[in-house]
Amino acid sequence: MSEGDIARRPDRQGPPQAIALAAGAGTDAVGVARRWVRSTAASLDLVHLADDAELVTAELVTNAVLHAGTAMRLSVEPVGDGLRIEVHDGAPDRLPVTSGTGLLELFELDDLDDVTGGLSALDVETMTGRGMTLVEAVTECWGVDVGVGTKAVWAELATGCGDDDRARSAAVPATGAAAVPGVPVWVVGVPVRLVLTAAAQLDDLVRELGITSLPTSLPPDIVDVAARFVTMTALVRDPFRVAARAAVERQQRLLDVTFTVGGEGVQALRGFLAVLEQITDLSVRGELLCLAPPPEIMAFRRWAVDEIARQAEGVAPTPCPFPVVPADDPHVTRAARAAALALDGVDAPEVEAEGWLAAARDDLASATDLADVVTALVAAGGALGAVNGSLCLLAPDGFTVELSAEVGYATEVRDHWTTFPITLDAPASEVIRTGQAIFLRTAEELRSRFPVFRGTPVIGSEALAVVPITGSTQVRGAMLMGFAERRPFGPDDQTLLRALGALVGTALAASDPSRRPAEMP
């Protein structure tokens, strides 16, 4: 790898610098290019642009590695207070992938409170082309200059080019599937971690199928088929990647994404999923270096494709049923260990289960409205040590959660939590989305797992149980029960509280049959 030459442009300021990258370069070239750009930015007193310059360089070089296949020249020039980055190659007929194989790195977020730190902590050894869609999000402008036997893809950071006539090239066509008339799709309440993990796993797969020597035991058409479906499904997958990056920047753990999809797009997604299933089998058998995706990621992909297909047929959106963080997430397990230590030696009040449930059933059966239901709920909980309770029910629109009735809440809590979206990163929302109960044994565990409560009015309980209220075919809402003391929530406790949630669902159906939310699977 050696210093290269670049023609001086009269409208540029400062000495241009460049390095040459050999034809057939692979992942090592991307790491070398990133390190060189970072050091060059520092030498130009533009170290504050180094992170974005590294990211842009990774995208441009990755595109050239994957799609040009020729020798390259990477150049950096200071322009005003910013930088212009260019990657030159010898494949003018192969334009950059503006939708299709954008790659997104999985950030290792050991501390979910520091997602912004994860955004900048890019491993300089990792090839992570995020596609021109993300280059567009980071830079002020970008474009392509095509000559005889050459092509230069360029992007500018902090140069002010977005304010003048040097707008990005409008002549660069998307290499993904052409946009076709379709229906708008709204995918809501998706955990960012799932998008990042799924994207990272797909990126590893694309790199292996596109760059490395493949085992001869692979089906002969698997690479071509996979590449075709990666391109065909880009117009759906890219919005998820862009939304995930924006969510990380905003320190959010859930995202919503909208796009338009037609029948051909749905068919391509189903084909793409079938190919991924086949490749997963190959990974499980050890025929690929790329690890097989975790079962949750494949389940998420199936859900996403099914959800998109349902909406394409005119069915209303359904919030994503996966938790914000999994039970085995390091952040959750640390909080759980801390709660367990705090509760060492603490025993919960015991009740005779059969008699307790019978009494609760009788009280709920006599309820005539929501106030009666929550009063009976708290009365039943009192035998377990509960001091307050509430019903958070899903409104008919299917996306608004209402604090429908409560006992023992302060005015500021009632006023703040009167309504909130089902996509909120909060216990009641998550229980309604996923249908899974949440038991938070200490106030510290609540604030650790759900950071929203660090800056909003809280009930003030030391322990909180949040249990789904189910109807005949869907989750209608969540039952919340607060306890004045820290509580272990052992298996017996959890069984009783889930049973109480089922009784509440039956009572609601009898006392308020007109209140039926939009159907949820």
Side-chain angles (χ1 to χ4, degrees):
M1 198 164 295
S2 62
E3 295 294 326
D5 296 324
I6 182 171
R8 177 92 171 104
R9 286 193 176 87
D11 61 337
R12 299 292 175 237
Q13 304 171 13
Q17 302 185 49
I19 60 171
L21 304 174
T27 58
D28 58 331
V30 181
V32 169
R34 291 172 67 165
R35 289 191 292 273
W36 179 80
V37 165
R38 175 171 285 276
S39 64
T40 301
S43 70
L44 296 172
D45 293 327
L46 295 172
V47 68
H48 60 286
L49 297 178
D51 285 345
D52 283 346
E54 241 191 280
L55 183 150
V56 170
T57 298
E59 309 318 325
L60 301 188
V61 173
T62 295
N63 258 315
V65 168
L66 290 175
H67 306 291
T70 71
M72 293 171 280
R73 187 171 71 251
L74 167 65
S75 70
V76 172
E77 291 185 79
V79 179
D81 294 327
L83 285 175
R84 179 180 173 101
I85 300 169
E86 297 185 359
V87 173
H88 301 250
D89 62 54
D93 58 331
R94 299 179 185 177
L95 295 174
V97 177
T98 58
S99 62
T101 54
L103 308 177
L104 185 61
E105 181 170 5
L106 167 65
F107 302 122
E108 294 294 342
L109 302 179
D110 290 333
D111 186 348
L112 291 173
D113 304 326
D114 192 23
V115 290
T116 300
L119 182 65
S120 61
L122 299 176
D123 179 0
V124 296
E125 298 296 332
T126 304
M127 184 180 80
T128 56
R130 294 166 183 78
M132 299 307 295
T133 303
L134 294 183
V135 168
E136 178 177 335
V138 172
T139 62
E140 293 190 345
C141 58
W142 69 274
V144 181
D145 297 333
V146 177
V148 178
T150 64
K151 174 177 85 262
V153 185
W154 55 268
E156 297 192 7
L157 294 164
T159 63
C161 63
D163 300 327
D164 58 26
D165 293 332
R166 288 179 292 160
R168 72 181 55 85
S169 172
V172 180
T175 58
V180 296
V183 298
V185 170
W186 182 29
V187 185
V188 296
V190 179
V192 172
R193 67 177 180 91
L194 292 179
V195 178
L196 294 177
T197 306
Q201 192 273 336
L202 180 60
D203 297 347
D204 290 341
L205 179 63
V206 168
R207 286 195 290 272
E208 181 168 356
L209 296 181
I211 296 178
T212 63
S213 298
L214 296 173
T216 57
S217 59
L218 287 181
D221 63 342
I222 190 66
V223 176
D224 291 338
V225 171
R228 184 169 71 253
F229 278 117
V230 164
T231 300
M232 291 175 65
T233 59
L235 293 179
V236 171
R237 290 183 296 102
D238 280 356
F240 278 95
R241 294 169 180 261
V242 174
R245 186 179 190 278
V248 170
E249 290 177 333
R250 294 192 297 267
Q251 301 188 44
Q252 295 176 345
R253 301 191 296 180
L254 288 169
L255 63 84
D256 297 347
V257 62
T258 60
F259 47 87
T260 299
V261 66
E264 292 183 2
V266 171
Q267 184 178 2
L269 284 172
R270 293 205 181 281
F272 180 53
L273 188 60
V275 170
L276 287 181
E277 299 271 9
Q278 183 181 5
I279 292 175
T280 296
D281 290 341
L282 297 174
S283 296
V284 169
R285 296 201 301 266
E287 296 184 31
L288 290 174
L289 296 175
C290 181
L291 296 177
E296 186 187 36
I297 294 302
M298 287 308 301
F300 166 65
R301 285 170 170 162
R302 295 184 197 107
W303 172 84
V305 172
D306 287 343
E307 174 66 12
I308 292 167
R310 290 174 63 256
Q311 292 192 38
E313 295 174 355
V315 179
T318 299
C320 185
F322 292 85
V324 173
V325 290
D328 61 353
D329 179 88
H331 191 70
V332 174
T333 55
R334 282 198 300 268
R337 285 196 298 270
L341 289 173
L343 287 163
D344 187 29
V346 175
D347 294 321
E350 294 184 4
V351 298
E352 196 282 312
E354 188 173 341
W356 180 82
L357 284 172
R361 185 182 298 109
D362 290 342
D363 288 345
L364 288 167
S366 63
T368 59
D369 56 26
L370 292 177
D372 287 346
V373 171
V374 77
T375 298
L377 165 67
V378 174
L384 301 176
V387 294
N388 56 52
S390 66
L391 300 176
C392 291
L393 302 182
L394 193 60
D397 64 10
F399 292 95
T400 302
V401 181
E402 300 175 349
L403 178 58
S404 301
E406 54 77 26
V407 170
Y409 284 12
T411 300
E412 65 174 357
V413 174
R414 289 197 304 267
D415 291 346
H416 184 86
W417 296 103
T418 299
T419 62
F420 49 94
I422 196 174
T423 55
L424 185 69
D425 187 3
S429 300
E430 178 160 322
V431 165
I432 297 172
R433 288 194 308 269
T434 65
Q436 301 298 313
I438 293 176
F439 300 97
L440 300 160
R441 295 165 289 181
T442 66
E444 292 84 358
E445 187 176 20
L446 169 67
R447 289 189 293 269
S448 177
R449 185 164 170 182
F450 295 96
V452 65
F453 290 115
R454 296 175 184 176
T456 56
V458 294
I459 301 168
S461 306
E462 278 298 317
L464 180 67
V466 189
V467 177
I469 299 171
T470 56
S472 57
T473 60
Q474 77 281 344
V475 177
R476 297 193 62 185
M479 174 192 85
L480 283 73
M481 189 171 289
F483 297 81
E485 304 294 334
R486 297 176 175 185
R487 190 176 185 88
F489 289 124
D492 291 343
D493 253 6
Q494 295 187 24
T495 298
L496 288 176
L497 289 167
R498 287 190 175 97
L500 183 59
L503 292 177
V504 169
T506 301
L508 287 177
S511 64
D512 193 12
S514 64
R515 186 185 176 84
R516 288 192 62 82
E519 290 290 315
M520 295 177 61

